Structures are given as C-alpha cells and as structure tokens.
CSV table of all heavy atoms in Angstrom, one decimal:
chain,number,residue,atom,x,y,z
H,7,SER,N,-2.0,8.0,2.8
H,7,SER,CA,-0.8,8.7,2.7
H,7,SER,C,-0.5,9.6,3.8
H,7,SER,O,0.6,10.1,4.0
H,7,SER,CB,-0.7,9.5,1.4
H,7,SER,OG,-1.7,10.6,1.4
H,8,ALA,N,-1.5,9.8,4.7
H,8,ALA,CA,-1.3,10.7,5.8
H,8,ALA,C,-0.8,10.0,7.0
H,8,ALA,O,-0.5,10.6,8.1
H,8,ALA,CB,-2.7,11.4,6.2
H,9,TYR,N,-0.5,8.7,6.9
H,9,TYR,CA,-0.1,7.9,8.0
H,9,TYR,C,1.2,7.2,7.7
H,9,TYR,O,1.6,6.9,6.6
H,9,TYR,CB,-1.1,6.8,8.4
H,9,TYR,CG,-2.4,7.3,8.9
H,9,TYR,CD1,-3.4,7.7,8.0
H,9,TYR,CD2,-2.6,7.5,10.3
H,9,TYR,CE1,-4.7,8.2,8.5
H,9,TYR,CE2,-3.8,8.0,10.8
H,9,TYR,CZ,-4.8,8.3,9.9
H,9,TYR,OH,-6.0,8.8,10.4
H,10,ASP,N,2.0,6.8,8.8
H,10,ASP,CA,3.1,5.8,8.6
H,10,ASP,C,2.4,4.4,8.6
H,10,ASP,O,1.4,4.2,9.3
H,10,ASP,CB,4.1,5.9,9.8
H,10,ASP,CG,5.0,7.1,9.6
H,10,ASP,OD1,5.1,7.6,8.5
H,10,ASP,OD2,5.7,7.4,10.6
H,11,MET,N,3.0,3.5,7.9
H,11,MET,CA,2.5,2.2,7.8
H,11,MET,C,3.3,1.2,8.6
H,11,MET,O,4.5,1.1,8.4
H,11,MET,CB,2.4,1.7,6.3
H,11,MET,CG,2.0,0.3,6.1
H,11,MET,SD,0.4,-0.2,6.9
H,11,MET,CE,-0.8,0.7,6.0
H,12,HIS,N,2.6,0.3,9.4
H,12,HIS,CA,3.3,-0.8,10.1
H,12,HIS,C,2.6,-2.1,9.5
H,12,HIS,O,1.4,-2.3,9.7
H,12,HIS,CB,3.1,-0.7,11.6
H,12,HIS,CG,3.4,-1.9,12.3
H,12,HIS,ND1,4.7,-2.4,12.4
H,12,HIS,CD2,2.7,-2.9,12.9
H,12,HIS,CE1,4.8,-3.5,13.1
H,12,HIS,NE2,3.5,-3.9,13.4
H,13,ALA,N,3.4,-2.9,8.8
H,13,ALA,CA,2.9,-4.1,8.3
H,13,ALA,C,2.8,-5.2,9.4
H,13,ALA,O,3.8,-5.3,10.1
H,13,ALA,CB,3.7,-4.6,7.1
H,14,MET,N,1.7,-5.9,9.4
H,14,MET,CA,1.5,-6.9,10.5
H,14,MET,C,2.0,-8.3,10.1
H,14,MET,O,2.2,-8.6,9.0
H,14,MET,CB,0.0,-7.0,10.8
H,14,MET,CG,-0.6,-5.7,11.3
H,14,MET,SD,-2.3,-5.8,11.6
H,14,MET,CE,-2.3,-6.8,13.2
H,15,ALA,N,2.2,-9.1,11.2
H,15,ALA,CA,2.4,-10.5,11.1
H,15,ALA,C,3.7,-10.9,10.4
H,15,ALA,O,3.8,-12.0,9.8
H,15,ALA,CB,1.3,-11.2,10.4
H,16,GLY,N,4.7,-10.0,10.3
H,16,GLY,CA,6.0,-10.4,9.7
H,16,GLY,C,6.0,-10.5,8.2
H,16,GLY,O,6.9,-11.1,7.6
H,17,ARG,N,4.9,-9.9,7.6
H,17,ARG,CA,4.8,-9.9,6.1
H,17,ARG,C,4.7,-8.5,5.6
H,17,ARG,O,4.5,-7.6,6.4
H,17,ARG,CB,3.6,-10.7,5.7
H,17,ARG,CG,3.5,-12.1,6.1
H,17,ARG,CD,4.4,-13.0,5.3
H,17,ARG,NE,4.1,-13.0,3.8
H,17,ARG,CZ,4.7,-13.7,2.9
H,17,ARG,NH1,5.6,-14.6,3.3
H,17,ARG,NH2,4.4,-13.6,1.6
H,18,ASP,N,4.9,-8.3,4.3
H,18,ASP,CA,4.7,-7.0,3.7
H,18,ASP,C,3.4,-7.1,2.8
H,18,ASP,O,3.0,-8.2,2.4
H,18,ASP,CB,5.9,-6.6,2.9
H,18,ASP,CG,6.1,-5.1,2.8
H,18,ASP,OD1,5.4,-4.4,3.6
H,18,ASP,OD2,6.9,-4.6,2.0
H,19,TYR,N,2.8,-6.0,2.5
H,19,TYR,CA,1.5,-6.0,1.8
H,19,TYR,C,1.4,-4.7,0.9
H,19,TYR,O,2.0,-3.7,1.1
H,19,TYR,CB,0.3,-6.0,2.8
H,19,TYR,CG,0.4,-7.0,3.9
H,19,TYR,CD1,0.9,-6.6,5.2
H,19,TYR,CD2,0.1,-8.3,3.7
H,19,TYR,CE1,1.1,-7.6,6.2
H,19,TYR,CE2,0.2,-9.2,4.7
H,19,TYR,CZ,0.7,-8.9,5.9
H,19,TYR,OH,0.8,-9.8,6.9
H,20,HIS,N,0.5,-4.9,0.0
H,20,HIS,CA,-0.1,-3.7,-0.7
H,20,HIS,C,-1.6,-3.9,-0.9
H,20,HIS,O,-2.1,-4.9,-0.5
H,20,HIS,CB,0.6,-3.4,-2.1
H,20,HIS,CG,0.5,-4.6,-3.1
H,20,HIS,ND1,1.1,-4.5,-4.3
H,20,HIS,CD2,-0.1,-5.8,-3.1
H,20,HIS,CE1,0.9,-5.6,-5.0
H,20,HIS,NE2,0.2,-6.4,-4.3
H,21,PHE,N,-2.2,-2.8,-1.3
H,21,PHE,CA,-3.7,-2.7,-1.4
H,21,PHE,C,-4.2,-2.3,-2.8
H,21,PHE,O,-3.7,-1.4,-3.4
H,21,PHE,CB,-4.2,-1.7,-0.4
H,21,PHE,CG,-3.9,-2.0,1.0
H,21,PHE,CD1,-2.7,-1.4,1.6
H,21,PHE,CD2,-4.6,-2.8,1.8
H,21,PHE,CE1,-2.3,-1.7,2.9
H,21,PHE,CE2,-4.3,-3.1,3.2
H,21,PHE,CZ,-3.1,-2.5,3.7
H,22,PHE,N,-5.1,-3.1,-3.3
H,22,PHE,CA,-5.8,-2.7,-4.6
H,22,PHE,C,-7.1,-2.0,-4.2
H,22,PHE,O,-7.9,-2.5,-3.5
H,22,PHE,CB,-6.1,-4.0,-5.4
H,22,PHE,CG,-6.7,-3.8,-6.7
H,22,PHE,CD1,-5.9,-3.5,-7.8
H,22,PHE,CD2,-8.1,-3.8,-6.9
H,22,PHE,CE1,-6.5,-3.2,-9.0
H,22,PHE,CE2,-8.6,-3.6,-8.1
H,22,PHE,CZ,-7.8,-3.3,-9.2
H,23,ILE,N,-7.2,-0.8,-4.7
H,23,ILE,CA,-8.3,0.1,-4.4
H,23,ILE,C,-9.0,0.5,-5.7
H,23,ILE,O,-8.3,0.9,-6.7
H,23,ILE,CB,-7.9,1.3,-3.6
H,23,ILE,CG1,-7.2,0.9,-2.3
H,23,ILE,CG2,-9.0,2.2,-3.3
H,23,ILE,CD1,-6.5,2.0,-1.5
H,24,ASN,N,-10.3,0.5,-5.7
H,24,ASN,CA,-11.1,0.9,-6.9
H,24,ASN,C,-12.3,1.6,-6.4
H,24,ASN,O,-12.7,1.6,-5.3
H,24,ASN,CB,-11.5,-0.4,-7.7
H,24,ASN,CG,-12.0,-0.1,-9.0
H,24,ASN,OD1,-11.8,0.9,-9.6
H,24,ASN,ND2,-12.8,-1.1,-9.6
H,25,ASP,N,-12.9,2.3,-7.4
H,25,ASP,CA,-14.2,3.1,-7.0
H,25,ASP,C,-15.2,3.0,-8.1
H,25,ASP,O,-15.0,2.4,-9.1
H,25,ASP,CB,-13.9,4.5,-6.6
H,25,ASP,CG,-13.3,5.4,-7.7
H,25,ASP,OD1,-13.3,5.0,-8.9
H,25,ASP,OD2,-12.8,6.5,-7.4
H,26,ALA,N,-16.3,3.7,-8.0
H,26,ALA,CA,-17.4,3.7,-8.9
H,26,ALA,C,-17.0,4.3,-10.3
H,26,ALA,O,-17.7,4.0,-11.3
H,26,ALA,CB,-18.6,4.4,-8.4
H,27,ALA,N,-16.0,5.1,-10.3
H,27,ALA,CA,-15.5,5.6,-11.6
H,27,ALA,C,-14.5,4.8,-12.2
H,27,ALA,O,-14.0,5.1,-13.3
H,27,ALA,CB,-14.9,7.0,-11.3
H,28,GLY,N,-14.1,3.6,-11.6
H,28,GLY,CA,-13.1,2.8,-12.2
H,28,GLY,C,-11.7,3.2,-12.0
H,28,GLY,O,-10.8,2.8,-12.7
H,29,ASP,N,-11.5,4.1,-11.0
H,29,ASP,CA,-10.1,4.6,-10.7
H,29,ASP,C,-9.4,3.6,-9.8
H,29,ASP,O,-9.5,3.6,-8.6
H,29,ASP,CB,-10.2,6.0,-10.0
H,29,ASP,CG,-8.9,6.6,-9.6
H,29,ASP,OD1,-7.8,6.0,-10.0
H,29,ASP,OD2,-8.9,7.6,-8.9
H,30,ALA,N,-8.7,2.7,-10.5
H,30,ALA,CA,-8.1,1.5,-9.8
H,30,ALA,C,-6.6,1.8,-9.6
H,30,ALA,O,-5.9,2.1,-10.6
H,30,ALA,CB,-8.3,0.2,-10.6
H,31,ARG,N,-6.2,1.7,-8.4
H,31,ARG,CA,-4.7,2.0,-8.1
H,31,ARG,C,-4.3,0.9,-7.0
H,31,ARG,O,-5.1,0.4,-6.2
H,31,ARG,CB,-4.5,3.4,-7.5
H,31,ARG,CG,-5.0,4.5,-8.5
H,31,ARG,CD,-4.6,5.8,-8.0
H,31,ARG,NE,-5.7,6.8,-8.1
H,31,ARG,CZ,-5.6,8.0,-7.6
H,31,ARG,NH1,-4.5,8.5,-7.0
H,31,ARG,NH2,-6.6,8.8,-7.8
H,32,VAL,N,-3.0,0.7,-7.1
H,32,VAL,CA,-2.3,-0.1,-6.0
H,32,VAL,C,-1.5,0.8,-5.1
H,32,VAL,O,-0.7,1.6,-5.6
H,32,VAL,CB,-1.4,-1.2,-6.6
H,32,VAL,CG1,-0.6,-1.9,-5.5
H,32,VAL,CG2,-2.3,-2.2,-7.4
H,33,VAL,N,-1.8,0.8,-3.8
H,33,VAL,CA,-1.1,1.6,-2.8
H,33,VAL,C,0.0,0.7,-2.2
H,33,VAL,O,-0.3,-0.4,-1.8
H,33,VAL,CB,-2.1,2.0,-1.7
H,33,VAL,CG1,-1.3,2.6,-0.6
H,33,VAL,CG2,-3.0,3.1,-2.3
H,34,GLU,N,1.2,1.2,-2.3
H,34,GLU,CA,2.4,0.5,-1.9
H,34,GLU,C,3.4,1.4,-1.1
H,34,GLU,O,3.2,2.6,-1.2
H,34,GLU,CB,3.1,-0.1,-3.1
H,34,GLU,CG,2.3,-1.0,-3.9
H,34,GLU,CD,2.9,-1.4,-5.3
H,34,GLU,OE1,3.5,-0.5,-5.9
H,34,GLU,OE2,2.6,-2.6,-5.7
H,35,TRP,N,4.4,0.8,-0.5
H,35,TRP,CA,5.4,1.5,0.2
H,35,TRP,C,6.7,1.0,-0.4
H,35,TRP,O,7.1,-0.1,-0.2
H,35,TRP,CB,5.3,1.3,1.7
H,35,TRP,CG,4.1,2.0,2.3
H,35,TRP,CD1,4.1,3.2,2.9
H,35,TRP,CD2,2.7,1.6,2.2
H,35,TRP,NE1,2.8,3.5,3.2
H,35,TRP,CE2,2.0,2.6,2.9
H,35,TRP,CE3,2.1,0.4,1.7
H,35,TRP,CZ2,0.6,2.5,3.0
H,35,TRP,CZ3,0.7,0.3,1.9
H,35,TRP,CH2,0.0,1.4,2.5
H,36,ASN,N,7.4,1.9,-1.1
H,36,ASN,CA,8.5,1.6,-2.0
H,36,ASN,C,9.6,0.8,-1.2
H,36,ASN,O,10.3,1.3,-0.3
H,36,ASN,CB,9.1,2.9,-2.5
H,36,ASN,CG,10.2,2.7,-3.6
H,36,ASN,OD1,10.6,1.5,-3.8
H,36,ASN,ND2,10.6,3.7,-4.2
H,37,PRO,N,9.9,-0.5,-1.6
H,37,PRO,CA,10.9,-1.3,-0.9
H,37,PRO,C,12.3,-0.8,-1.2
H,37,PRO,O,13.2,-1.2,-0.4
H,37,PRO,CB,10.7,-2.7,-1.4
H,37,PRO,CG,10.2,-2.4,-2.8
H,37,PRO,CD,9.3,-1.2,-2.8
H,38,ARG,N,12.5,0.0,-2.2
H,38,ARG,CA,13.9,0.5,-2.5
H,38,ARG,C,14.2,1.8,-1.9
H,38,ARG,O,15.3,2.3,-2.1
H,38,ARG,CB,14.0,0.5,-4.0
H,38,ARG,CG,14.0,-0.9,-4.7
H,38,ARG,CD,14.1,-0.8,-6.2
H,38,ARG,NE,14.3,-2.1,-6.8
H,38,ARG,CZ,14.3,-2.3,-8.1
H,38,ARG,NH1,14.0,-1.3,-8.9
H,38,ARG,NH2,14.4,-3.5,-8.6
H,39,ASP,N,13.2,2.4,-1.2
H,39,ASP,CA,13.4,3.7,-0.5
H,39,ASP,C,13.7,3.4,1.0
H,39,ASP,O,12.8,2.7,1.6
H,39,ASP,CB,12.2,4.5,-0.7
H,39,ASP,CG,12.4,5.9,-0.2
H,39,ASP,OD1,12.8,6.1,1.0
H,39,ASP,OD2,12.0,6.9,-0.9
H,40,PRO,N,14.7,3.9,1.6
H,40,PRO,CA,15.0,3.7,3.0
H,40,PRO,C,13.8,4.1,3.9
H,40,PRO,O,13.6,3.6,5.0
H,40,PRO,CB,16.2,4.5,3.3
H,40,PRO,CG,16.9,4.7,2.0
H,40,PRO,CD,15.8,4.7,1.0
C-alpha cells in the first residue's frame, strides 16, 4: 500500500496473500476508482 502499482505486460492483476495465522486477503487496485 506504500507504493503506486504499475501492472506489467498489458494485463491487470491481483494478489492472494496468506500467512501462518491464516490471514488470507486479496490485494487489488479498484477498477472503478479513477
């Protein structure tokens, strides 16, 4: 969240992140927000 994101290769992406506590989240950049 501390960076601006540049998606590569002419595609868009999100990331599935999990940890040892089972805190699973998807990190995304809202397509409906300018």
Side-chain angles (χ1 to χ4, degrees):
S7 65
Y9 294 88
D10 281 348
M11 172 55 68
H12 168 71
M14 301 181 72
R17 300 283 303 185
D18 210 14
Y19 311 97
H20 60 180
F21 301 91
F22 182 83
I23 302 173
N24 191 22
D25 65 13
D29 180 4
R31 301 187 226 177
V32 172
V33 168
E34 302 168 324
W35 289 262
N36 188 350
R38 292 177 172 172
D39 186 314

